[in-house]
Amino acid sequence: MNASDQEAATTEDTDIAEGQDSADTARAGMTPRQARRLRITAASVLMVLVAVVLAIRLASRSSVLVVGVYGLLLVLCGLVIELSRRGRTRLGTYVLGTGLVAALLGDWVLLP
């Protein structure tokens, strides 16, 4: 190799290394482990909040529908925790969001 070939190879290596660095910095999101822990924490906090709301609602109105609506949300929170443990964080997020919306609608529509 002559000097110009060596410079071209060095320039290509530098460009490749810079491209990898920019790709690494562009993908600076959460790791899968962090995402799982975040979903588990969010589902656990929501589970505690739902349990508190369930206790408050049962104190004011004892109804099977109250237990059914909030009990279902508690079960869904447990399901999300288990899905997150198994690495299905995106599915767990969809289940948690859908369950929360369904519980809120059920509370608004079913419970007087």
Side-chain angles (χ1 to χ4, degrees), residues 32-33 35-41 43-44 77-93:
R33 175 176 281 173
R36 284 193 301 268
R37 287 187 181 180
L38 179 67
R39 298 311 189 286
I40 289 171
T41 303
S44 299
C77 287
L79 179 67
V80 168
I81 291 170
E82 186 60 27
L83 284 171
S84 295
R85 281 186 58 240
R86 294 178 186 247
R88 303 291 180 204
T89 55
R90 191 173 298 146
L91 178 62
T93 302

Side-chain angles (χ1 to χ4, degrees), residues 28-72:
M30 291 191 301
T31 64
R33 175 176 281 173
Q34 290 172 333
R36 284 193 301 268
R37 287 187 181 180
L38 179 67
R39 298 311 189 286
I40 289 171
T41 303
S44 299
V45 168
L46 185 63
M47 186 180 275
V48 169
L49 290 175
V50 169
V52 169
V53 171
L54 176 61
I56 292 170
R57 294 286 287 183
L58 282 176
S60 67
R61 179 185 334 259
S62 181
S63 171
V64 174
L65 286 175
V66 171
V67 174
V69 168
Y70 290 104
L72 181 63

